[in-house]
Amino acid sequence: MHDNLTLAESDFKNALKVLPTYSQAMEGLGKVEYFKGNNLESEKYFAQALSTLSLAQYSTDLADFYSVTGDKVKSNQEIALATSAYGLASQTGVNTDLEQSLFLSDHEINLAQALEMAKRAYQDRPSIYGSDYLAWAYYKNGNFTEAAKYNKESLRLGEYDPLILFHQGMIAYKNNDFINTKKYLTESKKINPNFSILYKKTLEDTLSSIK
């Protein structure tokens, strides 16, 4: 999500004028409206994206939206739908280890499976995201030493990705490295304060705790 909400909103709406069924633009508008504080509009756009194209990422968007807005029942329903969508993709031969490991880690379900998927993805699809998601899976499983090891790998080319920087900061925090906690979380926020519906408040709260 672009940090300039007005520009992002204009881009997404223009995209929908050209292609009214462009689900990614609907998803983008859902995020824009959430960060503008318009929850009803946000929910509407996320639901439209999912109804247009039934993908795990759109169910995840709704799960995160309901989680941060306090509707645990609906959040769990969308998590179940996303889990089912990943399962169907796997059955058709699509390798979703990388994406599913992050999904499981973020929602703290089947964390052992999340770690195994992240390990496979790291071997099969080496990239800064393979390193980052593996670090995050170790973090969620409570192994902060291993998390820091793979975290360093992801930073080689990921110093401009706000999610990678957020992961860097949170892993540094668990390793009592508060200098780098502040450094990486501040950089993440500077690049894009609206990088994540699920983790924006976590970033703010963690920064506040070390000031």
Side-chain angles (χ1 to χ4, degrees):
M1 172 52 54
H2 199 288
D3 61 331
N4 188 324
L5 295 180
T6 301
L7 178 60
E9 180 178 22
S10 176
D11 287 345
F12 291 135
K13 286 186 174 179
N14 286 335
L16 284 175
K17 288 178 183 177
V18 176
L19 185 61
T21 58
Y22 188 27
S23 59
Q24 285 184 301
M26 298 171 192
E27 177 191 37
L29 284 170
K31 293 178 180 179
V32 166
E33 294 297 345
Y34 172 78
F35 289 119
K36 287 170 60 179
N38 300 329
N39 286 352
L40 288 177
E41 286 296 299
S42 176
E43 181 183 14
K44 181 188 79 173
Y45 280 120
F46 284 142
Q48 284 180 353
L50 181 60
S51 64
T52 300
L53 191 58
S54 183
L55 293 179
Q57 75 185 64
Y58 299 148
S59 289
T60 302
D61 289 332
L62 278 168
D64 294 348
F65 170 81
Y66 290 129
S67 177
V68 297
T69 55
D71 194 331
K72 190 67 174 176
V73 172
K74 286 187 177 179
S75 179
N76 286 338
Q77 288 172 346
E78 296 299 334
I79 286 172
L81 287 174
T83 301
S84 176
Y86 278 123
L88 288 172
S90 297
Q91 289 174 18
T92 60
V94 178
N95 186 340
T96 64
D97 281 348
L98 187 66
E99 296 79 9
Q100 194 171 356
S101 70
L102 182 65
F103 165 76
L104 293 173
S105 293
D106 279 344
H107 299 92
E108 299 185 350
I109 50 178
N110 299 328
L111 289 176
Q113 180 185 0
L115 182 57
E116 289 306 309
M117 286 183 163
K119 288 178 179 178
R120 288 200 301 267
Y122 178 77
Q123 294 295 326
D124 297 340
R125 299 162 66 182
S127 66
I128 58 170
Y129 297 105
S131 301
D132 179 47
Y133 292 7
L134 180 53
W136 196 236
Y138 272 120
Y139 169 91
K140 287 290 187 172
N141 276 274
N143 190 335
F144 307 124
T145 301
E146 284 296 297
K149 171 185 171 183
Y150 291 100
N151 213 20
K152 290 176 182 176
E153 289 188 22
S154 68
L155 195 60
R156 286 179 301 182
L157 296 172
E159 68 267 31
Y160 301 113
D161 186 310
L163 183 61
I164 287 178
L165 290 168
F166 169 73
H167 291 164
Q168 291 277 341
M170 296 306 298
I171 291 169
Y173 182 76
K174 286 296 187 179
N175 283 295
N176 298 314
D177 181 358
F178 302 125
I179 292 175
N180 278 323
T181 299
K182 186 172 183 179
K183 173 186 175 183
Y184 292 128
L185 294 186
T186 300
E187 288 179 4
S188 176
K189 183 179 177 180
K190 182 179 179 181
I191 292 171
N192 187 356
N194 301 315
F195 76 103
S196 170
I197 288 177
L198 193 60
Y199 288 125
K200 180 174 183 175
K201 186 175 185 300
T202 300
L203 184 151
E204 297 285 359
D205 289 348
T206 305
L207 273 179
S208 296
S209 74
I210 59 174
K211 286 182 178 178

